[in-house]
Amino acid sequence: MTTPLRLGIAGLGTVGVGVLRIIEAHGAMLTARTGRAISISAVSARSRGKDRGIDLSGYGWEDDPVALAHRSDVDIFVELMGGSDGPAKAATEAALDAGKPVVTANKAMLALHGQALAERAEAAGVPLRFEAAVAGGIPCIKALTEGLAGNAITRVSGVMNGTCNYILTRMESSGLPYADIFEEARALGYLEADPTLDVGGIDAGHKLALLAAIAFGTQVDFDGVELQGIEKVSIDDIRRAGDMGYRIKLLGEARRTEAGIEQSMRPTLVPAASPLGQLEGGTNMIVIEGDAVGQIVLRGAGAGEGPTASAVMGDVCDIARGLKLPTFGQPATSLTAAQRAHAVTECAHYIRMSLRDEPGALARVATVLGEAGISIDRMRQYDHPGADAPVLIVTHPCAPGALSSALSGVVETGVVTEDPVALQIQVPS
């Protein structure tokens, strides 16, 4: 087909503007690669008069993204507004119902409504593509649905939120506490309007749930992701992890176990010399393990105008070439409900706690852990000027659920002066 492929772009933030720039700069190249000219018919955003550093006069304008989805001169609806519900979801549904392919970067919408939207798209016979929703410019969705389609995937893991990686690596390099670097990240514009989406692990959890659905042939199960943010990670934790040869990363892991699918997103100690341990700033990394291919590692920019717009255009180009794939790699109606396996994989843990400086306090902690079957690998008590004694414990491998119950018992003894902080130590592949 040689007729131009016309886009309607809803959302003119960083990514939307990036898409416009790619199409304006590389029109001839895109035509050569897809066999079809790609153009923009119309756009939509909340403010028409905002200066976005790009000329919009040549494009039609719609105040309502649903109206944009219905335009007769729009062949593909590109949703870059964000938000799990509201205009983004309504406009996406309108485009699919009108028989138009949708390309989106909206991980929250897909994490919460992905199954229903996938069924809607496939019933209409049109693609719903979302490469840009996970890990910015890294083509991890394409890798799972296409390049690794011949593998039974056993594990997907990685660092999937550049803001958290920036905060943790900046704390380490500057020696400044979490609160200071959090405010620095806010001033730089790295944080979402609701910062909890980033530092609470929710944004990264959305991405992990999408990857797990593709990897294991299950319906998206964001509620099954065990979330722990980075808010409680202190500069002392980072220093002590470094002394042991580790760095702390917000690590997502989804794996198939005999008990079911285990999904977690939590701060984790990883070997400093490992590929994950060497990640700096906003860089993301996705690690995929399959029965035939073994382990592959994908690394790159996890956010930003260029990388995310690149992922959007990758999906647009595939549609221009006529490629049609089910949203999650296989028909949505064939996806099974995920059987959840909560915190079953055993691993070592780093525990930081503050004890009352009184005889027998440490012995009571060790007793509670021992009675719960938690074996201590090493323990260290630090010098302290005040009445509270800081203690570091590293356990032998144990189930996270068992440790959580044991730490509740430690709190009940009354010898701790604040809630203990427990971080997993990465399980070797």
Side-chain angles (χ1 to χ4, degrees):
M1 183 180 293
T2 57
T3 58
L5 187 68
R6 302 164 299 180
L7 310 185
I9 300 177
L12 294 175
T14 300
V15 180
V17 169
V19 171
L20 266 64
R21 287 187 170 134
I22 287 176
I23 293 173
E24 291 181 356
H26 300 307
M29 180 188 75
L30 295 171
T31 300
R33 290 179 176 177
T34 65
R36 194 171 178 184
I38 298 174
S39 64
I40 300 167
S41 295
V43 297
S44 176
R46 282 181 291 186
S47 171
R48 187 168 187 170
K50 180 180 179 180
D51 181 8
R52 298 175 173 87
I54 192 165
D55 183 10
L56 301 176
S57 62
Y59 310 126
W61 180 275
E62 295 288 349
D63 292 318
D64 182 2
V66 173
L68 178 66
H70 282 303
R71 283 180 64 121
S72 60
D73 59 352
V74 167
D75 301 312
I76 298 179
F77 181 70
V78 181
E79 187 283 302
L80 303 174
M81 295 177 286
S84 59
D85 292 284
K89 181 170 177 282
T92 296
E93 291 172 338
L96 295 176
D97 290 345
K100 298 180 182 182
V102 172
V103 174
T104 180
N106 195 331
K107 82 279 293 184
M109 179 178 71
L110 291 171
L112 299 181
H113 307 292
Q115 180 65 26
L117 290 173
E119 291 181 9
R120 203 168 192 144
E122 290 164 28
V126 294
L128 171 59
R129 303 292 297 261
F130 60 98
E131 186 68 69
V134 181
I138 303 175
C140 51
I141 304 296
K142 196 172 183 69
L144 279 169
T145 56
E146 297 180 47
L148 300 177
N151 286 257
I153 304 299
T154 55
R155 184 185 187 192
V156 178
S157 61
V159 171
M160 304 174 196
N161 183 277
T163 299
C164 287
N165 201 51
Y166 170 83
I167 290 173
L168 293 170
T169 55
R170 178 80 176 115
M171 285 172 66
E172 180 181 16
S173 64
S174 68
L176 295 173
Y178 171 83
D180 289 2
I181 303 303
F182 176 90
E183 290 304 326
E184 179 179 292
R186 188 201 295 276
L188 291 169
Y190 291 171
L191 290 166
E192 297 275 1
D194 177 3
T196 304
L197 293 173
D198 283 317
V199 299
I202 298 170
D203 169 85
H206 288 152
K207 299 171 186 177
L208 181 68
L210 296 174
L211 292 178
I214 300 170
F216 306 126
T218 57
Q219 297 175 9
V220 184
D221 183 26
F222 172 66
D223 288 341
V225 180
E226 299 183 28
L227 294 175
Q228 179 184 341
I230 65 169
E231 304 98 320
K232 293 184 178 180
V233 176
S234 72
I235 188 63
D236 285 338
D237 294 325
I238 289 175
R239 289 169 176 157
R240 291 164 187 171
D243 290 343
M244 296 188 293
Y246 291 96
R247 300 182 81 186
I248 299 175
K249 302 293 179 183
L250 181 68
L251 183 68
E253 288 194 283
R255 66 175 73 218
R256 189 193 300 276
T257 72
E258 292 183 359
I261 306 301
E262 182 180 344
Q263 300 180 85
S264 66
M265 181 65 64
R266 52 169 57 96
T268 302
L269 277 69
V270 304
S274 70
L276 281 168
Q278 294 177 44
L279 282 188
E280 298 289 339
T283 308
N284 281 193
M285 180 175 287
I286 307 295
V287 181
I288 305 171
E289 298 172 21
D291 63 341
V293 76
Q295 184 185 90
I296 67 166
V297 178
L298 304 171
R299 178 183 183 276
E305 176 182 311
T308 310
S310 168
V312 169
M313 288 308 302
D315 284 341
V316 169
C317 288
D318 275 350
I319 293 171
R321 294 176 178 127
L323 180 64
K324 281 189 177 182
L325 289 174
T327 305
F328 294 106
Q330 66 184 67
T333 52
S334 72
L335 298 173
T336 59
Q339 179 180 340
R340 298 175 186 172
H342 288 298
V344 296
T345 301
E346 292 192 351
C347 60
H349 289 79
Y350 160 103
I351 305 169
R352 169 173 53 86
M353 61 180 69
S354 182
L355 305 184
R356 299 186 187 282
D357 193 2
E358 58 187 40
L362 192 56
R364 293 178 70 181
V365 169
T367 297
V368 171
L369 293 177
E371 290 175 347
I374 309 297
S375 176
I376 296 174
D377 177 38
R378 55 189 130 159
M379 180 185 299
R380 181 174 177 181
Q381 184 169 342
Y382 290 84
D383 293 336
H384 54 286
D388 298 339
V391 173
L392 169 65
I393 295 173
V394 175
T395 75
H396 286 291
C398 62
L403 180 66
S404 179
S405 296
L407 291 180
S408 295
V410 168
V411 171
E412 290 173 1
T413 66
V415 300
V416 294
T417 59
E418 58 186 34
D419 288 341
V421 172
L423 306 178
Q424 290 189 9
I425 299 176
Q426 185 185 34
V427 178
S429 300

